Amino acid sequence: MALPRYGEAALCDVLPSVLGALGLPGEENILGLPSSSRYCVLLVDALGWNLLQAHPAQAPFLSSLTGRAITVGVPTTTAVSLTSLGTGLPPGRHGVVGYTSRVPGDRRRIFNALRWEPRLDPDAYQPHPSVIERAERAGVATTVLGESKFRGSGLTQAGLRGPFRTANTYGQRVAAACEAAGAGKRALVYVYDGDLDYTGHQHGCRSAAWRHQLTMTDSFAEQLFDHLPAGTTLLVTGDHGMVDVDAERRIDVDDVPALREGVELVAGEARFRHVYTTDGAADDVVAAWRSVLQDRATVLSRDEAVAAGWFGAVEARVTERIGDVVVSVDGDCAVERRSVFPVEGKLRGLHGAMTDDELLVPLLVGEA
């Protein structure tokens, strides 16, 4: 099991490095990106490094770009990664610690960060300024492109906090990104595409549907690159990879009494669980989950996971959001709780754990 490379080669280092490459004073280009006055950053949801390496025929353009692998944060899931990208911070600092986690101050309620339910104040939940805001203050023309459903969402406000422009289709995204990249003396455009992730969840990342979608995503990226204004650098990355998990390899917490003893709340997702325990039960819960899952998962106490650097530096306000016990699934397995999360059993492709297939994403650069 690999660890995130926060501050060295992680998703949270991408936008700060872009600001450094744009020449902004005080910004460090940790990733060594090429100097440019204009950057277009394309994030393809669920574009894992290993998946891309395994499918060069379906992604000839992306495979032709100069690139290497970087890590995302933990857990390897969209809400966490997009907030790390937008803020330039590890999860332990920005505080979005999973697809679901416990509502701060409420031991028995679950917060869904992707849907942002219940409606917590995003500015209070994640108080740090975004990298987009830093770029704006420095005079960079900034634009965030995404589907209309993301405009004004809690997650968008928590992580990005920049001028938002709706772009629902590939054609709209290409046109809007090219226009935005040409604005001002220096420009930063962020483009999000979620179709590969949706296809993988529904059909699996080993399916024909996923391979066809990768080809369409590759064509979109090529069209975007070909039409960007001269001198614009395209950077392509992902927020996590994906694995397929067969039905017979899945465990439901409700079917195993030992996994419920001493447990108040189970959150996270099927490949990475936050387990919140009754007072004083954490050590027993760690032992029980290790006994049941054995080599199928890495089970740590909160203190162990924090000390191991899973979440990066952890601020005091964030600590209670992390499970008393955290569980990262290794290999072909998933830990579901369908009575609480009924959709999990319907998803073919999953992510969230710390395997290379989920943790590694590409950092690809195309210079016009």
Side-chain angles (χ1 to χ4, degrees), residues 291-317:
S291 177
V292 171
L293 297 175
Q294 297 184 12
D295 62 354
R296 292 175 291 183
T298 300
V299 181
L300 299 182
S301 69
R302 175 194 292 151
D303 289 345
E304 288 173 332
V306 170
W310 283 19
F311 307 99
V314 177
E315 297 182 3
R317 66 182 178 85

Side-chain angles (χ1 to χ4, degrees), residues 252-274:
D252 194 316
V253 171
D254 289 330
D255 293 337
V256 186
L259 296 181
R260 303 196 305 275
E261 186 70 28
V263 172
E264 276 192 338
L265 200 66
V266 175
E269 56 195 286
R271 293 280 295 173
F272 190 99
R273 285 297 180 203
H274 288 287

Side-chain angles (χ1 to χ4, degrees), residues 39 46 142 183 211 232 320 357:
Y39 258 88
T142 62
R211 292 191 296 273
T232 304
E320 68 166 333
D357 286 340

Side-chain angles (χ1 to χ4, degrees), residues 170-238:
Y170 282 158
Q172 289 175 326
R173 289 169 205 154
V174 171
C178 292
E179 180 182 340
K185 294 182 178 180
R186 289 185 292 198
L188 170 58
V189 184
Y190 166 68
V191 185
Y192 170 82
D193 178 64
D195 289 346
L196 191 67
D197 180 71
Y198 180 85
T199 304
H201 278 310
Q202 298 302 312
H203 302 278
C205 56
R206 295 196 296 257
S207 67
W210 186 91
R211 292 191 296 273
H212 288 307
Q213 185 59 52
L214 177 61
T215 297
M216 295 177 69
T217 300
D218 185 76
S219 178
F220 159 60
E222 184 174 24
Q223 287 289 314
L224 177 60
F225 180 70
D226 287 347
H227 291 87
L228 284 169
T232 304
T233 299
L234 174 67
L235 188 153
V236 183
T237 189

